[in-house]
């Protein structure tokens, strides 16, 4: 019957026949075989007529399998939750029975009771098994019988509930079997995190296609993987309470926790937009990464936690220490920072070609910054000219500041930042003092020198927060910026060191 054609005994009409695979029988009404008349007694016609019928049946098989595949694991959590609810109800019934506080069950009409009896104790293998279990309960006396009755009723309810659910949802035999296992022991079900490896990979691909910084993508992926592992380990759903408990377990600062919430929030919005199964499962649920109250640090504790600027004497001390054996990349970097207020990575990304002369004034063209406002031109401080000239002359790789850093994200300042960390620690400075503290010092000195706030913002690459200056203004002239930057002074740094 390789051609799926048959003739019934005593008939000349041809029929098409197809066996139903076990995994889709429930979806096909429990049928093991599908048969349909082709309304012809000619085999040649039957061969042609069978094809669209077979195609339609196989399409239904595929649809049933797709429905199973797209169902995911959400139903398991629902079944486990319902089973636990049933268990709590019957445990309470048993406790009440032991304490003599049993409440009467609602009356059941005789006809309905007869129908239930026929359903549960039908002449089938399952019905006969249930009848034997019921007889065993009936054989008990007194309280033992009443308690055992609740156990039997509980088991019967779960078994029936599972069968009805499987039928309504067209579960495969394997899924129906797993359902019965969960109903029998709800605690055996361990919720899996919906933040799967496949979804994280798709999320990453989406972010990469939109040119998000690789470092940012890596950091967010790491945070999502940590959350997913936590949900799986604790067998928790993805909801507000679970995210809150997870954050409590991290023991991190509010600032860092906010970054974890941001990673989850970005992922959640992406999944709702691009993942159909996620959208179906979470369409009516609130974003679990929103409305969390993070610990607030106030007063002295907040002030103590903030980064602090260096005194001018501190910068001189650090520079001279770095310069002990002659000019180094670190000593030059400290000088560049002290006379420009630029960020450390901005300085390390400067190339020889970025030393320019707008309006005839030597300037540093900062073309790579963390913000749009950071793209700017900063005049070279007169005291810094010999250092810049030497760096241009000595460059071997096109960069102004030499660096052997092999950071995978292309961050050239990584090794020099760590070297500065070791230097400042050796001279008694704690975590509140970092290279960025030099930037704070520069801004403070410009303020005290009477430089206008908008010009300071332009020099260090900050937005002013006003449309007038951030959008419409072309900014100060090179001469105005040079006049302002020239007001910076580090009197304790030897001019001889600058010329070396």
């Amino acid at each position: 019957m390789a051609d799926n054609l048959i003739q019934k005994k005593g008939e000349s009409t041809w029929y098409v026949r197809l066996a139903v695979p076990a995994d889709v029988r429930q979806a096909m009404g429990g049928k093991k075989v599908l048969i349909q008349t082709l309304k012809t007694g000619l085999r040649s016609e039957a061969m042609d007529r069978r094809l669209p019928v077979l195609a339609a049946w196989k399409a239904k098989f595929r649809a049933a399998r797709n429905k199973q595949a797209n169902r995911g694991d959400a139903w398991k959590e629902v079944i486990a939750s319902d089973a636990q609810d049933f268990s709590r109800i019957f445990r309470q019934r048993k406790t009440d029975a032991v304490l003599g506080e049993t409440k009467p069950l609602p009356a059941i009409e005789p006809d309905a009771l007869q129908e239930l009896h026929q359903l549960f104790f039908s002449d089938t293998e399952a019905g006969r098994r249930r009848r034997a279990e019921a007889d065993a309960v009936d054989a008990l006396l007194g309280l033992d019988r009443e308690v055992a009755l609740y156990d039997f009723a509980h088991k019967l309810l779960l078994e029936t509930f599972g069968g009805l659910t499987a039928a309504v949802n067209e579960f495969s035999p394997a899924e129906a079997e797993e359902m019965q296992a969960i109903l029998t022991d709800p605690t055996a079900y361990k919720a899996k995190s919906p933040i799967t490896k496949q979804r994280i990979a798709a999320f990453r691909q989406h972010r990469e296609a939109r040119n998000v910084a690789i470092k940012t993508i890596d950091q967010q992926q790491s945070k999502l993987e940590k959350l997913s592992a936590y949900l799986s380990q604790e067998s928790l759903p993805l909801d507000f309470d679970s995210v809150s408990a997870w954050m409590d377990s991290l023991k991190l600062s509010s600032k860092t926790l906010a970054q974890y919430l941001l990673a989850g929030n970005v992922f959640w919005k992406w999944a709702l937009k691009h993942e159909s199964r996620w959208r179906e499962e979470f369409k009516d649920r609130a974003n679990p990464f929103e409305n969390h109250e993070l610990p607030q640090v106030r007063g002295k504790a907040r002030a103590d936690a903030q980064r602090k600027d260096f005194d001018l004497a501190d910068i001189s001390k650090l520079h001279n220490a770095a310069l002990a054996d002659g000019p180094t990349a670190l000593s030059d970097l400290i000088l560049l920072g002290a006379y420009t207020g630029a960020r450390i990575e901005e300085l390390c990304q400067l190339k020889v070609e970025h030393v320019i002369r707008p309006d005839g004034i030597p300037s540093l063209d900062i073309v790579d910054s963390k913000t749009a406002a950071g793209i700017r031109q900063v005049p070279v401080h007169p005291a810094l000219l010999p250092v810049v000239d030497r760096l241009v002359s000595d460059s071997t790789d096109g960069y102004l500041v030499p660096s052997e850093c092999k950071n995978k994200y292309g961050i050239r300042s990584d090794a020099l930042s760590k070297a500065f960390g070791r230097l400042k620690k050796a001279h008694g400075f704690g975590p509140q003092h970092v290279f960025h503290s030099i930037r704070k010092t520069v801004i403070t000195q410009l303020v005290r020198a009477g430089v206008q706030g908008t010009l300071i913002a332009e020099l260090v690459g900050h937005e002013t927060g006003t449309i007038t200056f951030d959008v419409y203004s072309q900014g100060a002239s090179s001469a105005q910026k040079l006049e302002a930057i020239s007001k910076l002074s580090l009197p304790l740094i030897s001019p001889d060191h600058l010329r070396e």
Side-chain angles (χ1 to χ4, degrees), residues 116-185:
L116 286 174
H117 189 278
Q118 292 176 353
L119 173 65
F120 295 140
F121 305 122
S122 59
D123 189 18
T124 62
E125 181 179 351
R128 290 189 291 271
R129 172 181 54 78
R130 295 184 190 122
R131 179 70 272 173
E133 292 173 352
D135 290 342
V137 171
D138 288 340
L140 297 173
L141 298 174
L143 183 60
D144 288 341
R145 180 181 182 280
E146 191 167 0
V147 172
L149 182 61
Y150 285 120
D151 284 331
F152 174 65
H154 181 207
K155 181 179 179 182
L156 194 62
L157 173 63
L158 294 179
E159 186 176 312
T160 306
F161 174 75
L164 292 174
T165 304
V168 170
N169 291 281
E170 300 178 351
F171 280 54
S172 68
E175 288 175 321
E177 183 177 348
E178 186 173 7
M179 179 189 298
Q180 288 297 341
I182 295 173
L183 288 170
T184 301
D185 182 12

Side-chain angles (χ1 to χ4, degrees), residues 69-88:
N70 291 330
R71 186 158 40 236
D73 290 335
W75 64 271
K76 299 178 186 178
E77 183 179 335
V78 174
I79 294 298
S81 176
D82 288 343
Q84 289 171 343
D85 289 342
F86 293 152
S87 297
R88 280 193 292 271

Side-chain angles (χ1 to χ4, degrees), residues 11-30:
E11 292 186 21
S12 60
T13 301
W14 286 98
Y15 291 80
V16 59
R17 180 186 187 279
L18 183 63
V20 180
D23 62 325
V24 296
R25 284 176 188 165
Q26 193 68 50
M28 305 305 292

